[in-house]
Amino acid sequence: MATTSFTKKSLGLVDTAVEPGVTPPQGNPENTFVKKPRLSSSKSRKRDIPEGLWTKCPKCSTMLYDKELDENLKVCMKCGHHFKIGARERINSLVETCSFEEMDAEMESVDALAFTGVASYKDKLESYKKGTGLRDAVITGIGKIQNQRLGLGVMDFSFLGGSMGSVVGEKLTRMIEAATEKNLPVVIISTSGGARMYEGMFSLMQMAKTCGALAYHAKAKLPYISVLTDPTTAGVMASYASVGDLIIAEPAAMIGFAGPRVIKDTTQAELPPGFQTAEFLLDHGLIDAIVPRKEMKERLAYYLDFLMSAKAKEAAA
Ligand SMILES: [Zn+2]
């Protein structure tokens, strides 16, 4: 019988070796298994994709065509992951065409403390200005969402981590004061790693200054909506970002004051799952709603219309 002649000896195995459950194929150069392309071919496939055309979604790993991703307001078409979006793109996605009048576009930080470190603050500012096309981490102005004019401030994380220095604070304060004077509501869309350390105490003073301007705005019975996007933390979260009449957030945005590791080390306690996400904070009452980016314009228009209706009646009377 053919099968009985298929012994350990015929396979060239020594007696001590364990007999394999499946007979391995003979070394044959024509065998497809042998001819299987090498693993390194994935590298050449990578090389075939022109750089800057595709982005890999960090959540679902889908390769997304940049043009489509931009058209979808930087939201993954497959899983809805919200990528970071620049301040200008965001303003364009919200306001009516040609309605936005930018304020203080030329304002720039000075190196008041002559900060030195691995790189000087001056050099850092220059490289970020070149890299982002922005002058600082916020764009402010007066614009229109549907029929409602408003004061709008939008932060940009790509400029020094959206950190708040004297320019961010001053631009926001001037915008809030202009809105108070013109009887307009305010919307600020935040994304920030916190106060800018290169400006030391000058950065921390912006927390009080922006909140002071917002207090006068509130005294005039005008609404302020704070929109928190990924991430909004530290000095910004501890000031104007958390004092909105309405506080809304984008899905899965990281929101908090100190980072989770610091809190864990300080409290010596396990942090609950989902800690510091928009969803967790909605459950615990810190924020009022989670609004996907693609619905943001309509929802803001709806809220503003509702919050300004009393003012409109007052004006009509
Ligand atoms: Zn995705």
Side-chain angles (χ1 to χ4, degrees):
M1 277 155 71
T3 45
T4 49
S5 68
F6 201 71
T7 58
K8 281 179 194 174
K9 255 186 190 165
S10 73
L11 281 167
L13 295 164
V14 285
D15 282 348
T16 48
V18 180
E19 196 170 353
V22 177
T23 312
Q26 294 286 311
N28 177 1
E30 294 304 311
N31 194 308
T32 49
F33 183 77
V34 177
K35 276 194 152 182
K36 193 179 170 191
R38 287 181 187 177
L39 283 170
S40 61
S41 68
S42 66
K43 266 186 196 162
S44 62
R45 212 183 305 140
K46 232 181 215 171
R47 240 181 287 140
D48 290 339
I49 301 169
E51 240 178 74
L53 272 180
W54 297 83
T55 302
K56 189 178 179 182
C57 174
K59 197 176 161 198
C60 71
S61 301
T62 307
M63 291 302 287
L64 305 162
Y65 187 40
D66 277 355
K67 197 167 163 269
E68 282 176 38
L69 187 60
D70 286 345
E71 282 166 3
N72 207 39
L73 301 180
K74 296 249 165 78
V75 176
C76 173
M77 287 79 89
K78 202 171 174 204
C79 72
H81 170 75
H82 283 50
F83 288 81
K84 287 187 179 64
I85 186 170
R88 293 219 182 271
E89 278 173 282
R90 196 186 281 278
I91 291 169
N92 288 339
S93 78
L94 291 176
V95 299
E96 304 309 315
T97 316
C98 299
S99 74
F100 190 73
E101 297 160 45
E102 189 172 343
M103 295 169 64
D104 308 303
E106 304 296 308
M107 198 187 287
E108 287 185 8
S109 270
V110 290
D111 187 13
L113 302 178
F115 193 96
T116 51
V118 182
S120 78
Y121 181 38
K122 259 187 191 163
D123 293 345
K124 262 215 148 84
L125 283 173
E126 277 314 310
S127 76
Y128 274 96
K129 270 186 236 169
K130 266 191 203 140
T132 60
L134 298 163
R135 288 186 184 237
D136 215 293
V138 74
I139 296 176
T140 55
I142 305 286
K144 214 172 166 189
I145 294 181
Q146 290 186 4
N147 291 321
Q148 181 62 56
R149 286 184 80 219
L150 75 155
L152 181 64
V154 180
M155 298 189 75
D156 196 312
F157 197 79
S158 63
F159 195 98
L160 263 168
S163 54
M164 172 175 61
S166 44
V167 170
V168 169
E170 183 64 18
K171 281 176 88 168
L172 285 173
T173 303
R174 289 187 188 188
M175 180 275 288
I176 298 160
E177 285 175 349
T180 310
E181 205 175 293
K182 292 174 201 289
N183 232 4
L184 299 177
V186 163
V187 172
I188 298 176
I189 301 181
S190 299
T191 172
S192 178
R196 190 174 297 172
M197 63 167 182
Y198 309 99
E199 294 183 29
M201 198 174 68
F202 294 103
S203 296
L204 297 180
M205 281 156 59
Q206 309 310 315
M207 297 168 69
K209 190 167 79 182
T210 48
C211 285
L214 284 168
Y216 280 110
H217 185 257
K219 221 175 167 186
K221 293 194 162 49
L222 291 162
Y224 159 45
I225 301 177
S226 173
V227 182
L228 314 176
T229 69
D230 187 60
T232 301
T233 58
V236 167
M237 192 55 205
S239 59
Y240 57 84
S242 60
V243 296
D245 296 305
L246 264 181
I247 304 175
I248 59 183
E250 282 190 340
M254 192 265 186
I255 298 158
F257 183 66
R261 211 181 49 223
V262 176
I263 298 176
K264 207 176 156 186
D265 288 348
T266 311
T267 59
Q268 297 289 316
E270 278 301 312
L271 300 173
F275 183 66
Q276 289 189 328
T277 58
E279 290 72 13
F280 184 89
L281 296 173
L282 180 70
D283 280 348
H284 291 79
L286 189 107
I287 60 175
D288 300 300
I290 293 175
V291 180
R293 192 174 292 160
K294 290 184 81 183
E295 294 169 29
M296 191 60 83
K297 182 180 174 169
E298 266 180 46
R299 288 284 279 277
L300 283 176
Y302 174 79
Y303 293 143
L304 289 171
D305 184 52
F306 177 77
L307 292 167
M308 289 298 284
S309 60
K311 275 267 164 196
K313 269 183 213 156
E314 204 178 274

